[in-house]
Amino acid sequence: MTSLSTSARAVLAELTRRGRATRPQISQALSLSKPTVSTAMSELEELGLVREDGSVQGHTGRSALLWRIGEGAGHVLGVDVGVTRTRIHAHALSGERLLGVSRDVTSPASRSGAADLTASADAAGALLRETLPRLGDSGPLRQIVIALPTVVTDRDPAAASQSPEVHDMLKALSLPPAPLLLENNVNCAAVAEGNLGVAQDAAQFAYVQAGVRIGAALVIGGRLLRGASGWAGEVAHLPFPWDAGREPVPEGLERFLGAEHLLLRTAAAWPASEGAPPTSAEELFQRAGEGCPPAQRAVTEHATQVGRLVVAVVALIDPGLVVLGGGVGSNPLLVQGVQETLSTLSVPVEIRRSGLGATATVEGAAVLAREQALHRLIHA
Amino acid sequence: MTSLSTSARAVLAELTRRGRATRPQISQALSLSKPTVSTAMSELEELGLVREDGSVQGHTGRSALLWRIGEGAGHVLGVDVGVTRTRIHAHALSGERLLGVSRDVTSPASRSGAADLTASADAAGALLRETLPRLGDSGPLRQIVIALPTVVTDRDPAAASQSPEVHDMLKALSLPPAPLLLENNVNCAAVAEGNLGVAQDAAQFAYVQAGVRIGAALVIGGRLLRGASGWAGEVAHLPFPWDAGREPVPEGLERFLGAEHLLLRTAAAWPASEGAPPTSAEELFQRAGEGCPPAQRAVTEHATQVGRLVVAVVALIDPGLVVLGGGVGSNPLLVQGVQETLSTLSVPVEIRRSGLGATATVEGAAVLAREQALHRLIHA
DNA sequence: GTTAGTTAGGTCATTTACCTAACGAAGTAG
DNA sequence: CTACTTCGTTAGGTAAATGACCTAACTAAC
């Protein structure tokens, strides 16, 4: 493809920011003259990257044509290779969703919570092969982002597939040929919160996911903080307990704050008079909401501990906003307890609960894929 | 001043990166033609921003002239308003140091460790008035950065001086008219490590300062991570102890890891057979180095606790490199202990001790001032 | 000492990528 | 219908950067 002119790149970038826009709008936003915007737009139209889409009427004066990203710009895939369920979303480069499908991972490993990537990848691969033909003509596939429930040391699959586990997973997926990036699933969920969820207005925020496992992600100025080798946000490795006299356990926080251990602790403290203890986090929270005292005690205690993790995050990086997500973290009862724990802190911070649910990860992957594809189109 | 042309800006930026460079070097680095670089350089020379400085000989072919930032580019001031000592460094925009002076703060408050900004500002103001005339003709003063031992919520003094404490401090300083920014002292020290110290090769790193007080700073991609309201790195507010059964103390970590409490704990555990316990952190570390068992025990224990703080930093943001600084933190014995504590962690990380000493903060302030001044020259 | 080869640095016509000005087209307001 | 406003195109102009070419200055080798 011939390279775009500078002004065409600028116009394309502005158009992706606005979704739909008229040439006079773009002209004013970029401080470019009308002829310059017109020639740039023609250049983009000839490549199929933009197309006319209606016009603005009702104002005085001649009505302006509206423009948007066209079909020739192509589409992207977000793939969530999850432990219990795998999901695929396809988005056009214009931002509209073309497709969203999901499927359970049926494998013995999925119940223990251990990350059996191959089983998940098999499921995702099958789903992909059924789904891709349904996309029809949506232009070229420009980018795939795969969300993984593991630390992603190398986002570039060429480097990452030197690890046999990743290599096997990629083979099982049998992806169509397109640029590919790997990303951590918590990072993806955080991106979704920033673009589609409750953190859209925040310049920076922290995302803390509490569920079967516990993880965090940081977004600063719209960019993920990945760390020197992809380990940023892996709070499972925090020393816990952290006390002067006691030796902390490696992976201590994971064992302490994960859903499984929450249930074990709850069961241990459960009085016989209340019947059988809850067998899932959902049940525990439901019974706490119904006023069952031992369930309330367990939830309060757990919220306090998650709150201390949040305090640590806030004291270190002062995100201004913390979004709580995940099966346990997005529960309103938990959010309230976390807020109380934070009240002693002098750092100003807001807590919000995620409203995106289980699809946050795929949506984030799709957003990242679209961003990456647009970046390549615009800056190269 | 008339505005610079685009190519002149690019040439100036490249020249500040390289210090000294020839036109062909710049031409190649920026992919600009030789005539373009030459005209841009003439433009800069006419404004006094650059000047010839020797030539490169010994190579085959005609020898190229070397260029550097000139005197007309002016100079900047870094001011460290410290609790016990105040320092001022003046740097030319070329980077070379013009002046470095310091003075003790004589005030009752300085001994208790409480931040009496006014006393420090009085001392800094007096030092400034004596020092400025010595600068001679170094061109215009383009930027002042003041390092403060407090949280800096607003770097812009216009906004910050709404707080009476900051307002009084600025009044006591009676600064010459020039653009002014405030910055946290630990942040400044971290910048110094990244530009002049042991972190020059690191794309990102964390700086942990342990001394009378404890603080941290994060540098990502050459930029300070300041947080939403300037509280990033204020690890003093971390909950401690952090245990399931115990209630953490607000400001707990500060009380636990500060030098004063290290000495109190050491004295409490000091056996009568060893004579009087150490009265300063320097003495404690010296006696530990000489093989005194109770001193060694105290140092080891303290290193373990600092190590756990470092583990928390690493688990959250994976900096890849952690620089230990401050009166206590930069001691080799402490660094060793921290390294051992980190050995259980699966995140790859390197620990280095700061070699800059007590001037790190001013130097960082001067570096920030120079960066800011260059940024304004180049991008406006 | 001389000459060949290489690199620095300047001059000038040309291209590129914008801009402003002006005008017809297409809408609204009265 | 007339007056007015805004859109979008055409024509002409300009500043910045380029490529091609030349001279200057230096090194290496004979």
Side-chain angles (χ1 to χ4, degrees):
Chain A
M1 183 200 291
T2 45
S3 188
L4 292 173
S5 73
T6 318
S7 53
R9 291 168 210 269
V11 168
L12 184 56
E14 184 66 22
L15 199 53
T16 59
R17 274 191 291 273
R18 294 178 171 248
R20 288 162 81 211
T22 67
R23 280 176 285 188
Q25 283 171 349
I26 292 172
S27 168
Q28 194 164 20
L30 299 177
S31 304
L32 289 176
S33 70
K34 292 190 289 174
T36 304
V37 174
S38 280
T39 50
M41 199 67 91
S42 313
E43 186 183 341
L44 294 172
E45 190 180 22
E46 226 157 274
L47 293 167
L49 295 178
V50 302
R51 70 151 212 259
E52 280 182 37
D53 186 31
S55 63
V56 181
Q57 272 158 347
H59 290 265
T60 166
R62 180 174 172 177
S63 57
L65 294 174
L66 277 165
W67 296 78
R68 48 163 287 176
I69 304 294
E71 280 69 23
H75 64 287
V76 298
L77 289 183
V79 181
D80 176 11
V81 179
V83 177
T84 59
R85 201 168 172 88
T86 184
R87 291 168 217 268
I88 299 175
H89 278 204
H91 280 237
L93 238 60
S94 57
E96 72 181 325
R97 184 191 297 174
L98 302 172
L99 205 83
V101 294
S102 71
R103 169 168 304 179
D104 278 331
V105 176
T106 49
S107 139
S110 72
R111 309 184 65 188
S112 76
D116 179 0
L117 273 183
T118 316
S120 299
D122 283 337
L127 186 59
L128 196 62
R129 280 184 290 281
E130 293 170 26
T131 305
L132 280 181
R134 288 176 47 200
L135 275 176
D137 184 27
S138 313
L141 174 55
R142 299 237 182 232
Q143 180 73 49
I144 305 173
V145 167
I146 302 184
L148 297 173
T150 60
V151 174
V152 174
T153 307
D154 286 297
R155 298 167 62 217
D156 176 8
S161 63
Q162 291 173 355
S163 126
E165 201 177 24
V166 174
H167 182 265
D168 291 352
M169 183 209 66
L170 291 175
K171 202 169 173 184
L173 273 174
S174 72
L175 294 163
L180 175 61
L181 280 179
L182 311 179
E183 187 57 80
N184 174 264
N185 58 348
V186 180
N187 280 356
C188 287
V191 167
E193 291 296 342
N195 286 71
L196 316 162
V198 294
Q200 289 179 60
D201 57 332
Q204 56 185 344
F205 67 97
Y207 175 75
V208 174
Q209 195 173 61
V212 177
R213 310 181 64 202
I214 187 136
L218 308 169
V219 178
I220 315 274
R223 302 185 62 81
L224 276 168
L225 190 84
R226 295 197 172 83
S229 43
W231 285 81
E234 293 294 319
V235 288
H237 304 273
L238 277 167
F240 186 86
W242 188 7
D243 192 350
R246 296 172 56 182
E247 198 59 30
V249 184
E251 319 291 295
L253 202 66
E254 173 91 1
R255 292 201 197 159
F256 190 67
L257 289 184
E260 197 178 342
H261 287 262
L262 166 61
L263 291 174
L264 287 177
R265 280 199 312 282
T266 304
W270 201 261
S273 57
E274 293 281 348
T279 56
S280 74
E282 292 76 35
E283 191 190 341
L284 170 63
F285 279 98
Q286 196 192 333
R287 286 168 79 165
E290 289 162 356
C292 163
Q296 285 179 325
R297 274 197 301 275
V299 166
T300 303
E301 167 63 19
H302 197 249
T304 302
Q305 298 305 328
V306 173
R308 287 186 191 156
L309 167 62
V310 173
V311 169
V313 172
V314 170
L316 250 175
I317 58 155
D318 176 25
L321 168 66
V322 179
V323 177
L324 294 176
V328 171
S330 61
N331 192 289
L333 290 174
L334 194 96
V335 175
Q336 196 190 338
V338 168
Q339 253 157 350
E340 280 165 21
T341 304
L342 274 162
S343 60
T344 57
L345 201 64
S346 34
V347 187
V349 62
E350 189 184 350
I351 308 291
R352 298 183 193 159
R353 59 180 285 267
S354 164
L356 289 178
T359 58
T361 301
V362 228
E363 304 214 41
V367 167
L368 283 172
R370 179 164 168 261
E371 279 178 1
Q372 182 69 24
L374 285 170
H375 182 88
R376 252 211 323 279
L377 263 183
I378 292 170
H379 296 111
Chain B
M1 179 199 291
T2 47
S3 189
L4 292 173
S5 72
T6 319
S7 53
R9 291 169 209 268
V11 168
L12 184 57
E14 185 65 21
L15 198 53
T16 60
R17 274 191 290 274
R18 293 177 173 249
R20 286 163 82 210
T22 67
R23 280 175 287 188
Q25 282 171 350
I26 293 173
S27 168
Q28 194 164 23
L30 299 177
S31 304
L32 290 176
S33 69
K34 291 189 290 173
T36 304
V37 174
S38 281
T39 51
M41 198 67 92
S42 314
E43 187 184 341
L44 295 172
E45 189 179 22
E46 226 157 274
L47 293 168
L49 295 177
V50 303
R51 71 149 210 259
E52 281 182 37
D53 185 30
S55 63
V56 182
Q57 272 157 348
H59 289 267
T60 163
R62 178 172 173 178
S63 57
L65 294 172
L66 277 165
W67 295 77
R68 47 163 286 176
I69 304 295
E71 280 70 22
H75 64 287
V76 297
L77 289 184
V79 181
D80 177 10
V81 178
V83 176
T84 59
R85 203 169 172 87
T86 183
R87 292 167 215 268
I88 298 174
H89 278 204
H91 280 237
L93 238 60
S94 59
E96 73 181 325
R97 184 192 299 174
L98 302 172
L99 205 83
V101 294
S102 70
R103 169 168 303 178
D104 278 331
V105 175
T106 49
S107 138
S110 72
R111 309 184 64 186
S112 75
D116 180 359
L117 272 183
T118 316
S120 299
D122 283 336
L127 186 59
L128 195 62
R129 279 184 291 281
E130 293 171 25
T131 305
L132 279 181
R134 288 177 48 200
L135 274 176
D137 186 26
S138 312
L141 174 55
R142 299 232 184 235
Q143 180 74 49
I144 306 173
V145 167
I146 301 184
L148 297 173
T150 60
V151 174
V152 174
T153 308
D154 286 296
R155 298 166 62 218
D156 176 9
S161 63
Q162 291 174 355
S163 127
E165 201 176 25
V166 174
H167 181 266
D168 291 351
M169 183 210 65
L170 291 175
K171 203 170 173 183
L173 273 173
S174 71
L175 294 163
L180 175 62
L181 279 179
L182 310 179
E183 187 57 80
N184 175 263
N185 59 347
V186 181
N187 280 356
C188 287
V191 167
E193 290 298 340
N195 285 72
L196 316 161
V198 294
Q200 289 180 58
D201 57 331
Q204 56 185 346
F205 67 98
Y207 175 75
V208 174
Q209 193 173 62
V212 177
R213 310 182 64 203
I214 186 137
L218 308 168
V219 178
I220 315 275
R223 302 186 61 81
L224 275 169
L225 192 83
R226 293 195 174 86
S229 44
W231 285 82
E234 293 294 319
V235 288
H237 304 274
L238 277 167
F240 186 86
W242 188 7
D243 192 351
R246 295 173 56 180
E247 199 57 30
V249 184
E251 319 290 297
L253 202 66
E254 174 90 1
R255 294 204 195 157
F256 190 66
L257 288 184
E260 197 177 344
H261 287 263
L262 165 62
L263 291 174
L264 287 177
R265 280 199 312 281
T266 305
W270 200 261
S273 56
E274 292 282 349
T279 57
S280 73
E282 293 76 35
E283 189 189 341
L284 170 64
F285 278 98
Q286 196 191 331
R287 286 167 81 165
E290 288 163 357
C292 164
Q296 286 179 324
R297 275 196 301 276
V299 166
T300 304
E301 167 63 18
H302 198 248
T304 302
Q305 298 304 331
V306 173
R308 288 185 191 157
L309 167 62
V310 173
V311 169
V313 172
V314 170
L316 251 175
I317 58 156
D318 176 25
L321 168 67
V322 179
V323 178
L324 294 177
V328 171
S330 61
N331 191 290
L333 288 174
L334 194 95
V335 176
Q336 196 189 341
V338 168
Q339 253 157 349
E340 281 165 20
T341 304
L342 275 161
S343 60
T344 58
L345 201 64
S346 32
V347 187
V349 62
E350 189 185 350
I351 308 291
R352 297 182 193 160
R353 60 180 283 265
S354 166
L356 290 178
T359 59
T361 301
V362 227
E363 304 215 42
V367 167
L368 282 173
R370 178 165 169 262
E371 280 178 359
Q372 183 68 25
L374 286 169
H375 182 87
R376 251 211 321 280
L377 263 184
I378 293 169
H379 296 111

